[in-house]
């Protein structure tokens, strides 16, 4: 991920730097059910924070306030 960010600077890409989100999908207890649904409540909350950050970022790019 860090290397991708370095390449992104050259390509003038925009990244959501914070909050960071990492999930070890193979760590016990199971993070996903058999249908691929996320089960881990803490991971869901962190993912929600990332998505809200993405929404704020997109609005800033469009010149809109929150």
């Amino acid at each position: 991920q860090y290397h991708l960010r370095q390449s992104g600077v050259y390509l003038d890409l925009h990244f959501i730097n914070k909050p960071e989100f990492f999930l070890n999908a193979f760590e016990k207890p199971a993070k996903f059910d058999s249908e691929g649904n996320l089960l881990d409540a803490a991971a869901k909350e962190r993912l929600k924070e990332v998505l809200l950050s993405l929404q704020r970022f997109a609005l800033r790019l469009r010149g809109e306030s929150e």
Side-chain angles (χ1 to χ4, degrees):
Q1 186 181 41
Y2 180 70
H3 183 68
L4 178 61
R5 289 181 185 193
Q6 289 176 318
S7 301
V9 170
Y10 176 78
L11 297 171
D12 198 27
L13 298 176
H14 301 282
F15 291 96
I16 303 298
N17 295 312
K18 292 184 181 179
E20 289 185 322
F21 178 74
F22 297 96
L23 179 67
N24 186 345
F26 303 104
E27 181 180 73
K28 298 287 183 187
K31 306 293 187 230
F32 298 93
D33 66 15
S34 61
E35 295 180 6
N37 298 305
L38 183 59
L39 300 172
D40 187 281
K44 283 183 182 181
E45 193 58 36
R46 289 192 319 267
L47 189 56
K48 180 180 174 182
E49 292 172 13
V50 171
L51 293 173
L52 289 172
S53 179
L54 177 59
Q55 180 186 38
R56 288 189 298 271
F57 182 73
L59 290 174
R60 281 196 314 270
L61 286 177
R62 288 176 44 179
E64 298 177 18
S65 60
E66 294 179 38

